[in-house]
């Protein structure tokens, strides 16, 4: 079983504070990529990109795996969990609103029925 | 397929979509979205520890809206505001969310069939990165975690 250490809040903030690293996360959200591909896409040296990936890996936001000579990067468990948790909070907020909207609409229906009673 | 519960999804890298069916005609749901005295009754989710201080909405193409919320522990109210880009009564409301630049554009559509209405709300960001940042900061249109976080800090203190 793989065990992911929970990253500290500080390391997550530090990881997300850099625009290049946010760009890397956005890109990996669309598709996996090798460190070389990322270095080319963000126009930096391989060494520079490896440093960014190291910070992201330390925060659990990116996971890497080496197959042969290619190191491939994917979104890490922390990133996917954070977003999934956020999306559920977002959904719950709307669900709570719509439950009350439902009550308001039921009242409007009742008011209409009272105004023009039909058989 | 009926959505008797609220569903939400990141339907594209830069868009969030929320869907819910209602057992009512579209014009009544539109009324609840467009009349401020009705809007203020359901806009604050039960789970949120905040109060709606003011709610102004001129729901017409070219109109504007402003909602202000307060929290007992905060002097500073939180405001949401924007413009209505397009309003087709009983069918569609499109508005901007300007409080957190670059903001987003929300499109609400109501589709009625046999007395039931499907409500679909799409929140579109200018880029995937903008939506990522909004999520990371907890501040998206229609859902802001600022006061939830404040409450959590107070609870721990």
């Amino acid at each position: 079983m793989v065990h992911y250490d929970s990253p500290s809040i500080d390391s997550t903030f530090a990881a997300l504070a850099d625009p290049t690293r946010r760009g890397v996360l956005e890109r990996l959200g669309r598709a996996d990529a090798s460190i070389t591909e990322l270095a080319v896409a963000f126009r930096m040296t391989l060494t520079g990109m490896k440093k960014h990936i190291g910070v992201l890996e330390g925060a659990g936001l990116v996971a890497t795996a080496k197959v042969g000579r290619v190191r491939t990067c994917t979104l890490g468990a922390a990133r996917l969990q954070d977003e999934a948790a956020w999306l559920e909070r977002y959904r719950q907020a709307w669900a709570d609103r719509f439950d009350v909207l439902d009550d308001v609409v039921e009242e409007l229906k009742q008011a209409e029925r009272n105004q023009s009673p039909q058989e | 397929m009926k959505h008797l519960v609220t569903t939400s999804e990141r339907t594209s890298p830069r868009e969030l979509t929320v869907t819910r069916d209602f057992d009512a005609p579209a014009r009544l749901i539109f009324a609840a979205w467009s009349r401020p005295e009705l809007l203020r009754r359901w806009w604050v989710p039960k789970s949120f520890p905040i109060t709606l201080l003011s709610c102004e909405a001129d729901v017409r193409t070219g109109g504007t809206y402003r909602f202000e919320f307060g929290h007992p522990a905060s002097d500073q109210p939180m405001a949401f505001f924007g413009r209505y880009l397009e309003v087709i009564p009983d069918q569609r409301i499109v508005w901007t969310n300007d409080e957190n630049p670059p903001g987003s554009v929300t499109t609400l559509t109501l589709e009625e069939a046999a007395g039931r209405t499907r409500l679909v709300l799409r929140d579109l960001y200018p880029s995937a990165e903008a939506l990522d940042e909004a999520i990371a900061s907890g501040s998206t249109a229609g859902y802001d975690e600022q006061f939830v976080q404040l409450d959590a800090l107070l609870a721990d203190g």
Side-chain angles (χ1 to χ4, degrees):
Chain A
M1 184 178 110
V2 181
H3 173 65
Y4 292 104
D5 291 327
S6 9
S8 72
I9 293 191
D10 284 345
S11 69
T12 304
F13 277 149
L16 292 175
D18 180 271
T20 299
R21 290 197 283 269
R22 290 199 301 270
V24 166
L25 288 176
E26 177 190 337
R27 177 152 167 159
L28 293 178
R30 290 196 290 274
D32 298 348
S34 70
I35 298 195
T36 306
E37 285 169 338
L38 292 170
V40 168
F42 289 89
R43 292 188 243 254
M44 53 176 52
T45 63
L46 202 54
T47 309
M49 182 51 70
K50 277 181 185 172
K51 280 187 184 160
H52 283 307
I53 297 299
V55 172
L56 289 168
E57 231 179 334
L61 297 170
V62 165
T64 70
K66 191 152 189 177
V67 180
R69 295 177 62 192
V70 176
R71 182 166 288 279
T72 303
C73 306
T74 59
L75 284 184
R79 179 66 168 181
L80 299 173
Q81 281 164 14
D82 285 348
E83 184 162 320
W86 180 88
L87 195 58
E88 176 51 27
R89 293 197 296 276
Y90 176 82
R91 189 200 67 78
Q92 189 61 54
W94 279 109
D96 287 352
R97 276 197 181 114
F98 289 153
D99 283 348
V100 187
L101 172 57
D102 224 3
D103 292 342
V104 172
V105 167
E106 281 301 314
E107 279 183 32
L108 295 176
K109 278 164 72 176
Q110 190 59 44
E112 277 196 343
R113 279 196 287 266
N114 292 345
Q115 273 170 10
S116 51
Q118 299 185 353
E119 302 206 351
Chain B
M1 189 175 91
K2 290 182 185 174
H3 286 259
L4 296 175
V5 294
T6 303
T7 62
S8 69
E9 202 186 327
R10 188 168 182 171
T11 39
S12 89
R14 59 187 188 109
E15 186 178 63
L16 298 167
T17 300
V18 178
T19 305
R20 175 44 149 102
D21 289 345
F22 291 84
D23 189 15
R27 60 190 160 72
L28 295 184
I29 298 164
F30 182 84
W33 274 88
S34 57
R35 286 162 49 184
E37 72 275 15
L38 295 178
L39 191 49
R40 64 184 308 144
R41 289 182 50 193
W42 60 270
W43 189 255
V44 180
K46 290 185 292 249
S47 52
F48 268 34
I50 56 178
T51 4
L52 184 59
L53 299 174
S54 66
C55 173
E56 292 156 17
D58 180 16
V59 186
R60 297 179 297 172
T61 302
T64 60
Y65 72 89
R66 186 179 182 91
F67 305 160
E68 291 200 359
F69 298 93
H71 185 282
S74 171
D75 289 332
Q76 196 74 348
M78 187 164 61
F80 296 89
F81 50 89
R83 295 160 288 132
Y84 294 105
L85 299 179
E86 184 186 3
V87 177
I88 304 175
D90 305 343
Q91 287 181 48
R92 185 180 173 87
I93 310 177
V94 184
W95 67 88
T96 65
N97 302 282
D98 297 338
E99 62 276 357
N100 279 321
S104 63
V105 174
T106 309
T107 300
L108 172 81
T109 55
L110 303 173
E111 285 172 32
E112 181 175 341
R116 295 178 57 86
T117 301
R118 169 154 297 176
L119 178 157
V120 179
L121 188 138
R122 295 180 189 277
D123 199 26
L124 184 66
Y125 283 75
S127 68
E129 185 181 77
L131 178 49
D132 283 343
E133 288 192 26
I135 291 173
S137 68
S139 295
T140 56
Y143 175 64
D144 198 303
E145 295 188 307
Q146 210 184 108
F147 283 154
V148 175
Q149 286 160 355
L150 182 61
D151 232 37
L153 282 173
L154 292 174
D156 290 343

